[in-house]
Amino acid sequence: MALVKFIEYADASAEVRAVYDDIMASRKVDWINNFWKALANDPVTLKRTWESVKQVMAPGALDSLTKELLYIAVSVTNNCTYCINSHTAIARKAGMTDAMFAELQAVVAMANETNRLVIGYQVETDERIANAAKQR
Amino acid sequence: MALVKFIEYADASAEVRAVYDDIMASRKVDWINNFWKALANDPVTLKRTWESVKQVMAPGALDSLTKELLYIAVSVTNNCTYCINSHTAIARKAGMTDAMFAELQAVVAMANETNRLVIGYQVETDERIANAAKQR
Amino acid sequence: MALVKFIEYADASAEVRAVYDDIMASRKVDWINNFWKALANDPVTLKRTWESVKQVMAPGALDSLTKELLYIAVSVTNNCTYCINSHTAIARKAGMTDAMFAELQAVVAMANETNRLVIGYQVETDERIANAAKQR
Amino acid sequence: MALVKFIEYADASAEVRAVYDDIMASRKVDWINNFWKALANDPVTLKRTWESVKQVMAPGALDSLTKELLYIAVSVTNNCTYCINSHTAIARKAGMTDAMFAELQAVVAMANETNRLVIGYQVETDERIANAAKQR
Amino acid sequence: MALVKFIEYADASAEVRAVYDDIMASRKVDWINNFWKALANDPVTLKRTWESVKQVMAPGALDSLTKELLYIAVSVTNNCTYCINSHTAIARKAGMTDAMFAELQAVVAMANETNRLVIGYQVETDERIANAAKQR
Amino acid sequence: MALVKFIEYADASAEVRAVYDDIMASRKVDWINNFWKALANDPVTLKRTWESVKQVMAPGALDSLTKELLYIAVSVTNNCTYCINSHTAIARKAGMTDAMFAELQAVVAMANETNRLVIGYQVETDERIANAAKQR
């Protein structure tokens, strides 16, 4: 159970409502999910977090769906049930097919595996790789 | 320093050389990086890991570059220096621009932040989200 | 569901009861929470863990509330529901207000974010910072 | 080695310089550390991250030093060398004594230990604890 | 709730049934657990994962029980409830006693604690230790 | 670089020397490694940590080598270089062969992989597994 009360729209301050309105308008939905209702206990964090998410997740050099897949990859690695569910829902809406979902999971799992082989063997980065990884 | 010796091509068994040859052919390179040279101490794991990576990272419903970005997202979350370097190098070669790299980092960092807000407030998944996340 | 049975006071050995008595006396409560009842299956670990927790969490150079906040910060980062709940309960009792709780979550989330920006960009520590971080 | 070039003040755009100036003014220092110089490759993320850090780390219901200690607790749990060094440096400047540093480490380590005992035994949260953890 | 449907034996393709049959034969059970039924949505990952698990967990230089204990140690550190349950069930069947289970948890917890003391103090590896850790 | 000075035997208090003497006697070595020299800045934590490690790592229902392997499994999952090195050194001395080391790494990596498949698909624990995992 959440450690704070959820702030419903009807009970929200003008400051919180402004954020709720922007979330609904930006996402083209007519309801607010629990995450924001919990954060609304701290209006400053609510506003900053929403504005940051909106900025970071907007399409740019990477499209929106790719960004959602990256979000899921992190959330699976960190084991965040809410986050996996909410970003899988958004990704499906944005066009993620079952095949894409399955490949995403396979890559995330494989990366978690090879990360530990590298760490377990304490492999040093090849000079050529370090050079190729750097900005030109 | 790596906890095992690196097995160079010249010193490798036929079994290990076969994997090395496939890595070089698949990746269109003429050298083997330290990760595989360390794993070659355990030829069964070398072969299985390479074949798994090759299968998982091949383009499918997701293209190769997206898969590399997902790999980096996991590796950053797990703090694996070697993995971040090697997959950033591959991603750059596959077309990742500086702008894409920057957006990738911003998404990974943001996901790590909001994951903890969700967990810290112990927010329960909305029923609507759980339904929308599920396979149709 | 817990993987072991909970050892109730009535069924506990003298050795376990002595620890339970000390927990209740130290914390000024008249009941034992599930964590200790699970650990009581292994009386040596029960005793060592309780004595360690008691020593580490006692006020010293840092006061008790600050220590509880640190405990929550780690538990959120590790995603331990039980631990977040139990230490939030203790922290509230020790004077943590809603505003403090909200700021705690904001700092924990922000640290998780910037940790990944540093790691993702593979930023080396500035020499000045390394020097300033060291004990004088 | 960092995966991007560091943007020095002399080479920075007006937009980046404005952030650098604010960092130096706010922190009362006359130089910029590597983290910001790396982020400056992505001026939007630089600005957003700095403004977020400034907002979140400002004294409020929790004082600045407590916030720095929380930052270190997260960074140790995540194993971020740069972050441990930079926030230990800030914390020392803000009054963290050697004794406080030692107690901080002991609490962080202990929390990491008991988190895993709870998880390993799969202990369910006591109803009384869940109730006491919730906002009144 | 799982994000995909479970594929029951009766509804499975020949390809999936072949894997299910091998799982049941290898493990000497007459049913398939949810993990494989979820993975069966992606038959290629199902087959690869099962064959990898079968290869890696087979007795070799380390016996099966030791491998199960290692699996639990990782799963506790990563906080994977399903994995802790399933490998604890296998380990009990393979002879893990209550005393062994308790010692396993104590070691896992202690390692998580001392890992953070080392990281928190940023202790460099002793040259003697680095040498003794390396393959002869 | 470590954030504290190392306390050498010659400069240590009687209290610290007593711990150092016990470490050397118990481990049959004539020198103290950096971890303890760093912790010696906080003699209470030094003593508690050493006594805990000594108790937890002593052979019991699990033998010493198995406990060292578990320690390495956790340290690899957490990415603690010092810990991987020091416990690999101890494990080699206690009889860990190259083949055992390789199998250990393969199991740790595989567990990290399947942990994420379970989490990514959000698979619920089978009732039969939950029952079989519980203490009889």
Side-chain angles (χ1 to χ4, degrees):
Chain A
M1 278 172 305
L3 299 180
V4 293
K5 286 168 197 145
F6 293 143
I7 309 290
E8 301 296 338
Y9 192 93
D11 308 319
S13 66
E15 189 187 1
V16 166
R17 279 189 187 187
V19 177
Y20 283 5
D21 288 336
D22 193 37
I23 292 172
M24 291 190 287
S26 300
R27 295 202 163 160
K28 301 187 177 69
V29 294
D30 62 357
W31 60 289
I32 294 293
N33 52 305
N34 291 341
F35 176 55
W36 307 111
K37 290 194 216 164
L39 276 194
N41 286 280
D42 176 9
V44 172
T45 297
L46 173 70
K47 187 171 155 57
R48 178 176 50 76
T49 304
W50 164 245
E51 286 175 359
S52 296
V53 166
K54 195 170 135 181
Q55 183 189 89
V56 169
M57 299 305 282
L62 299 175
D63 60 85
S64 290
L65 180 52
T66 301
K67 289 186 171 185
E68 291 300 332
L69 298 179
L70 292 168
Y71 222 103
I72 298 172
V74 170
S75 303
V76 170
T77 301
N78 284 334
N79 196 2
C80 178
T81 292
Y82 188 97
C83 317
I84 295 168
N85 272 275
S86 59
H87 288 275
T88 297
I90 298 175
R92 287 201 194 276
K93 207 170 153 184
M96 181 181 70
T97 62
D98 288 347
M100 290 163 80
F101 177 79
E103 292 191 13
L104 161 67
Q105 302 300 343
V107 173
V108 169
M110 178 62 51
N112 271 289
E113 180 175 35
T114 53
N115 280 193
R116 269 53 179 225
L117 286 172
V118 162
I119 293 167
Y121 281 93
Q122 292 281 299
V123 186
E124 307 92 322
T125 308
D126 305 71
E127 209 183 307
R128 284 206 225 194
I129 282 181
N131 287 334
K134 279 200 290 188
Q135 188 183 27
R136 242 57 43 106
Chain B
M1 280 170 303
L3 299 180
V4 293
K5 286 168 196 146
F6 293 143
I7 309 290
E8 301 296 337
Y9 192 92
D11 308 318
S13 66
E15 189 185 2
V16 166
R17 281 189 186 186
V19 177
Y20 282 5
D21 287 338
D22 193 38
I23 292 172
M24 291 189 288
S26 300
R27 295 200 163 162
K28 300 188 178 69
V29 292
D30 61 356
W31 59 290
I32 293 294
N33 53 304
N34 291 342
F35 176 55
W36 306 111
K37 289 193 217 168
L39 276 194
N41 286 280
D42 176 9
V44 171
T45 297
L46 172 71
K47 187 173 155 57
R48 178 176 51 77
T49 304
W50 164 245
E51 287 174 359
S52 295
V53 166
K54 195 171 137 183
Q55 183 190 87
V56 169
M57 299 304 283
L62 300 175
D63 61 86
S64 290
L65 179 53
T66 300
K67 289 186 173 187
E68 291 301 331
L69 299 179
L70 292 168
Y71 222 103
I72 297 172
V74 171
S75 303
V76 169
T77 301
N78 285 333
N79 196 2
C80 179
T81 294
Y82 189 97
C83 317
I84 295 168
N85 273 276
S86 58
H87 288 274
T88 297
I90 297 175
R92 286 202 195 274
K93 206 170 153 184
M96 181 180 72
T97 61
D98 288 348
M100 292 163 77
F101 177 78
E103 291 191 13
L104 161 68
Q105 302 300 343
V107 174
V108 168
M110 179 60 53
N112 271 290
E113 179 175 37
T114 55
N115 280 192
R116 268 54 179 224
L117 286 171
V118 163
I119 292 167
Y121 281 92
Q122 292 281 300
V123 186
E124 308 91 321
T125 308
D126 304 72
E127 208 183 306
R128 285 207 224 192
I129 282 181
N131 287 335
K134 277 200 289 189
Q135 188 182 28
R136 243 55 45 103
Chain C
M1 278 171 305
L3 298 180
V4 294
K5 286 168 196 146
F6 293 143
I7 308 290
E8 301 296 338
Y9 192 92
D11 308 317
S13 66
E15 190 186 1
V16 166
R17 280 189 187 187
V19 177
Y20 283 5
D21 287 338
D22 193 37
I23 292 171
M24 292 189 287
S26 300
R27 294 200 164 164
K28 299 189 178 69
V29 294
D30 62 357
W31 59 291
I32 293 295
N33 52 305
N34 291 342
F35 176 54
W36 306 111
K37 290 193 216 164
L39 275 194
N41 287 280
D42 176 9
V44 170
T45 297
L46 173 70
K47 187 172 155 57
R48 178 175 51 75
T49 305
W50 164 246
E51 286 175 356
S52 296
V53 167
K54 194 169 137 183
Q55 183 189 89
V56 169
M57 300 304 283
L62 300 175
D63 61 86
S64 290
L65 180 52
T66 300
K67 290 186 171 187
E68 291 300 331
L69 299 178
L70 292 168
Y71 222 103
I72 297 171
V74 170
S75 302
V76 170
T77 300
N78 286 333
N79 196 2
C80 179
T81 293
Y82 188 98
C83 317
I84 294 168
N85 272 276
S86 59
H87 288 275
T88 297
I90 297 176
R92 286 203 195 275
K93 205 169 154 184
M96 182 180 70
T97 62
D98 288 347
M100 291 163 78
F101 177 78
E103 292 191 12
L104 161 67
Q105 302 299 343
V107 173
V108 168
M110 178 61 51
N112 271 288
E113 180 176 36
T114 53
N115 280 192
R116 267 57 177 220
L117 286 172
V118 162
I119 293 167
Y121 282 92
Q122 292 282 299
V123 186
E124 309 92 321
T125 308
D126 305 72
E127 208 182 307
R128 283 206 225 192
I129 282 181
N131 287 335
K134 280 199 289 189
Q135 189 183 26
R136 241 54 46 105
Chain D
M1 279 170 302
L3 299 180
V4 293
K5 286 168 196 146
F6 293 142
I7 309 290
E8 300 297 336
Y9 191 93
D11 308 317
S13 66
E15 190 186 0
V16 167
R17 278 190 189 186
V19 178
Y20 283 5
D21 286 339
D22 194 37
I23 292 171
M24 291 189 288
S26 300
R27 294 202 164 160
K28 301 189 178 68
V29 293
D30 61 358
W31 60 290
I32 294 294
N33 52 305
N34 291 342
F35 176 54
W36 306 111
K37 290 193 216 167
L39 276 193
N41 286 279
D42 176 9
V44 171
T45 298
L46 172 72
K47 187 171 153 59
R48 178 176 50 76
T49 304
W50 164 244
E51 286 175 359
S52 296
V53 166
K54 194 169 135 182
Q55 184 190 88
V56 170
M57 300 304 284
L62 299 176
D63 61 86
S64 291
L65 179 53
T66 300
K67 290 185 172 186
E68 292 300 331
L69 299 178
L70 292 167
Y71 223 104
I72 297 172
V74 171
S75 303
V76 170
T77 301
N78 286 333
N79 195 2
C80 179
T81 293
Y82 188 97
C83 318
I84 295 168
N85 272 275
S86 58
H87 289 274
T88 297
I90 298 175
R92 287 201 195 276
K93 206 169 152 185
M96 182 180 71
T97 62
D98 288 347
M100 291 164 78
F101 177 78
E103 292 191 12
L104 161 67
Q105 303 300 343
V107 173
V108 169
M110 177 62 51
N112 271 289
E113 179 175 37
T114 55
N115 279 194
R116 268 56 178 221
L117 285 171
V118 163
I119 292 167
Y121 281 92
Q122 291 282 298
V123 186
E124 308 93 321
T125 308
D126 305 73
E127 208 182 307
R128 284 205 225 194
I129 282 180
N131 287 335
K134 278 199 290 189
Q135 188 182 28
R136 242 55 48 101
Chain E
M1 277 170 304
L3 298 179
V4 293
K5 287 169 196 144
F6 293 143
I7 309 290
E8 299 297 335
Y9 191 93
D11 307 318
S13 66
E15 191 185 1
V16 166
R17 279 190 188 185
V19 177
Y20 282 5
D21 287 338
D22 193 37
I23 292 172
M24 291 190 287
S26 300
R27 292 202 165 162
K28 301 189 176 68
V29 293
D30 61 358
W31 60 290
I32 293 294
N33 51 305
N34 291 342
F35 176 55
W36 306 111
K37 289 193 217 167
L39 276 193
N41 287 279
D42 177 8
V44 170
T45 298
L46 173 71
K47 187 171 153 61
R48 177 176 52 76
T49 304
W50 165 246
E51 286 175 359
S52 295
V53 167
K54 194 169 137 182
Q55 183 189 88
V56 169
M57 299 304 283
L62 299 176
D63 61 86
S64 291
L65 180 52
T66 300
K67 289 185 173 187
E68 292 299 332
L69 299 179
L70 292 168
Y71 223 103
I72 298 171
V74 171
S75 303
V76 170
T77 300
N78 285 332
N79 196 2
C80 179
T81 293
Y82 188 97
C83 317
I84 295 168
N85 272 274
S86 59
H87 288 276
T88 297
I90 298 175
R92 287 203 194 274
K93 206 170 153 184
M96 181 181 70
T97 62
D98 288 347
M100 290 163 79
F101 177 78
E103 292 190 12
L104 161 66
Q105 303 299 345
V107 173
V108 168
M110 178 61 52
N112 271 289
E113 181 175 36
T114 54
N115 279 193
R116 268 55 177 223
L117 286 171
V118 162
I119 292 167
Y121 281 92
Q122 292 281 299
V123 186
E124 308 93 320
T125 309
D126 304 73
E127 208 183 306
R128 284 206 226 193
I129 282 181
N131 288 333
K134 279 200 291 189
Q135 189 183 26
R136 240 57 46 105
Chain F
M1 278 171 305
L3 299 179
V4 292
K5 286 170 197 145
F6 293 143
I7 309 290
E8 302 296 336
Y9 192 93
D11 307 317
S13 66
E15 192 186 359
V16 166
R17 280 190 188 186
V19 177
Y20 282 5
D21 287 338
D22 194 37
I23 292 171
M24 291 190 286
S26 300
R27 295 200 162 163
K28 299 188 178 72
V29 292
D30 62 357
W31 60 290
I32 294 295
N33 52 305
N34 291 342
F35 177 54
W36 306 110
K37 290 193 216 166
L39 277 193
N41 286 279
D42 176 8
V44 171
T45 298
L46 173 72
K47 186 172 155 57
R48 179 177 50 76
T49 305
W50 164 246
E51 286 175 359
S52 296
V53 167
K54 193 170 137 181
Q55 184 190 87
V56 169
M57 299 305 283
L62 299 175
D63 60 86
S64 292
L65 180 52
T66 300
K67 290 185 172 187
E68 291 300 331
L69 299 179
L70 292 167
Y71 223 103
I72 297 171
V74 170
S75 303
V76 170
T77 300
N78 285 333
N79 196 3
C80 179
T81 293
Y82 188 98
C83 317
I84 294 169
N85 272 276
S86 59
H87 288 275
T88 297
I90 298 176
R92 286 201 194 276
K93 205 170 154 184
M96 182 180 70
T97 61
D98 288 346
M100 291 165 77
F101 177 78
E103 293 191 11
L104 161 67
Q105 302 299 343
V107 173
V108 168
M110 177 62 51
N112 270 290
E113 179 175 38
T114 54
N115 280 193
R116 267 57 176 222
L117 286 171
V118 162
I119 292 166
Y121 282 91
Q122 291 283 300
V123 187
E124 308 91 321
T125 308
D126 304 72
E127 208 183 306
R128 284 207 225 192
I129 282 180
N131 287 334
K134 278 200 290 189
Q135 187 182 29
R136 241 54 47 104

